[in-house]
Amino acid sequence: MNQSVDRCQKLREYISTMQMQHVYQPVMLIELLKSKGEASEQTIAKAILNIDPVQQAYYQDKVRNMVGKVLRNNGVTERSGSTHKLVGFEQLSESEVAELLDLCRERLSEEIDTRGEDFFKHRATDRVEVPGTVRQQVFERAKGRCECCGISKEERPLDIDHIVPRSLGGANDISNYQALCWLCNTTKGNRSKTDFRGLEKYYEERKIGCLFCDELPNQERSRIVSENALAYVAEDKFPITKFHRLVIPKRHTMDFFGLEQAELNAITALLHSQKAEIERADSSVKGFNIGMNCGEVAGQSVWHCHVHLVPRRVGDVEKPRGGVRNIIPGKGDY
């Protein structure tokens, strides 16, 4: 009896204090308690689906904008608000309804037997599991908000999305991940007007003779100190200060304004990692300037986007006030 009381108390304490971002834990415990302590994964999954409004909203969207639309276009159903009606149902006898039900079930069974898992791949938005540590990094970078609409994770759960879809050559790399709420994730494809044909080759674009596409990666590769899927870091050939580095997208694009979101993520990740590395290597570094030259009048002389990461130390200039404002003489002191 005491063991029973102790176990109940432990469960009571756990349930009262458990941390939850989703409905999963209490729903699973409910199913286990209802089923004499044992329940299959399938049973638990069905229970979660029945209670999770996000999952329900996913299929509501499919009913309205996919299957419902197809049936309406073929004159089989009609819709009024959120209610769908089978056209001519009142003309069917009970036996005809039963016959049609059997026919639907037969067709469904045939398709599942024939196509197997492929029948349900429309729902699998991320077939390769993203490691927990990487997911956490993406969510931390997003500061708990959808990187498309900005809604908070408290209002709508977030998931990991491939910016460039895996089916179109997108990499399983943190630079190609973004945090999206369910609504933005599921409507992303429908709203995009981008022609994705050949997109897997898009990020491989290089220009022969370009300093950062050709010469540096091939002839001066010793200057490269780090890289990821879409960008790399090189030591500046004419450094302003010690450890002055360049972060460069691998795809040939003229300047910052030609970068895609995945490339921005890749460059940002390298800027953060290089900052930490430089600070570990030199404790005298107390600040950084990050800068880009976009256009000839802004001082650009290499026509491939690159981001300067310049370490700063106390006393490296007489008057550091104003920072980048000093690109125009006299404008830094205000």
Side-chain angles (χ1 to χ4, degrees), residues 118-284:
D118 288 344
F119 203 30
F120 300 97
K121 279 187 176 178
H122 72 281
R123 183 63 183 97
T125 56
D126 189 4
R127 296 182 183 87
V128 177
E129 182 66 23
V130 179
T133 54
V134 176
R135 294 176 67 88
Q136 187 61 31
Q137 289 180 58
V138 175
F139 289 144
E140 287 178 359
R141 184 183 68 198
K143 303 300 183 187
R145 291 186 174 272
C146 173
E147 293 184 280
C148 180
C149 72
I151 196 168
S152 167
K153 66 181 181 181
E154 279 75 31
E155 298 179 68
R156 195 179 296 152
L158 303 180
D159 203 356
I160 302 297
D161 170 68
H162 284 85
I163 298 170
V164 180
R166 285 287 298 139
S167 61
L168 299 170
N172 284 317
D173 182 272
I174 193 168
S175 65
N176 194 41
Y177 295 146
Q178 60 185 349
L180 291 187
C181 69
W182 166 82
L183 187 58
C184 289
N185 198 0
T186 55
T187 58
K188 170 183 154 187
N190 292 337
R191 291 181 177 180
S192 175
K193 296 181 180 179
T194 303
D195 183 354
F196 286 112
R197 289 172 294 183
L199 187 59
E200 65 274 14
K201 296 182 179 179
Y202 176 72
Y203 290 106
E204 298 175 5
E205 183 180 345
R206 308 289 186 269
K207 183 177 180 181
I208 296 175
C210 170
L211 175 62
F212 294 149
C213 285
D214 191 358
E215 182 178 329
L216 198 158
N218 296 315
Q219 301 172 33
E220 300 183 46
R221 189 158 186 84
S222 61
R223 287 172 53 196
I224 296 178
V225 297
S226 183
E227 64 180 312
N228 57 27
L230 298 178
Y232 67 91
V233 181
E235 297 172 342
D236 192 281
K237 197 169 185 177
F238 306 99
I240 298 173
T241 66
K242 186 179 180 181
F243 296 128
H244 175 183
R245 289 174 179 173
L246 304 176
V247 184
I248 305 165
K250 294 180 178 179
R251 179 177 65 89
H252 184 75
T253 188
M254 185 174 296
D255 57 31
F256 171 83
F257 299 104
L259 294 172
E260 303 291 350
Q261 184 60 51
E263 292 167 319
L264 291 169
N265 291 346
I267 288 170
T268 298
L270 288 173
L271 286 169
H272 280 280
S273 63
Q274 287 302 301
K275 173 184 180 292
E277 181 179 308
I278 291 168
E279 288 175 332
R280 283 194 298 269
D282 187 345
S283 61
S284 70

Side-chain angles (χ1 to χ4, degrees), residues 59 61-72 77:
Y59 286 109
D61 176 74
K62 288 290 177 270
V63 169
R64 169 170 288 205
N65 297 311
M66 189 174 75
V67 59
K69 187 174 182 180
V70 171
L71 290 173
R72 290 196 305 275
T77 64

Side-chain angles (χ1 to χ4, degrees), residues 24-48:
Y24 306 150
Q25 288 191 76
V27 174
M28 182 169 177
L29 289 170
I30 288 169
E31 289 304 307
L32 291 171
L33 290 166
K34 285 168 51 180
S35 307
K36 298 183 179 180
E38 293 185 7
S40 68
E41 291 178 349
Q42 184 179 25
T43 298
I44 297 167
K46 286 180 178 178
I48 291 173

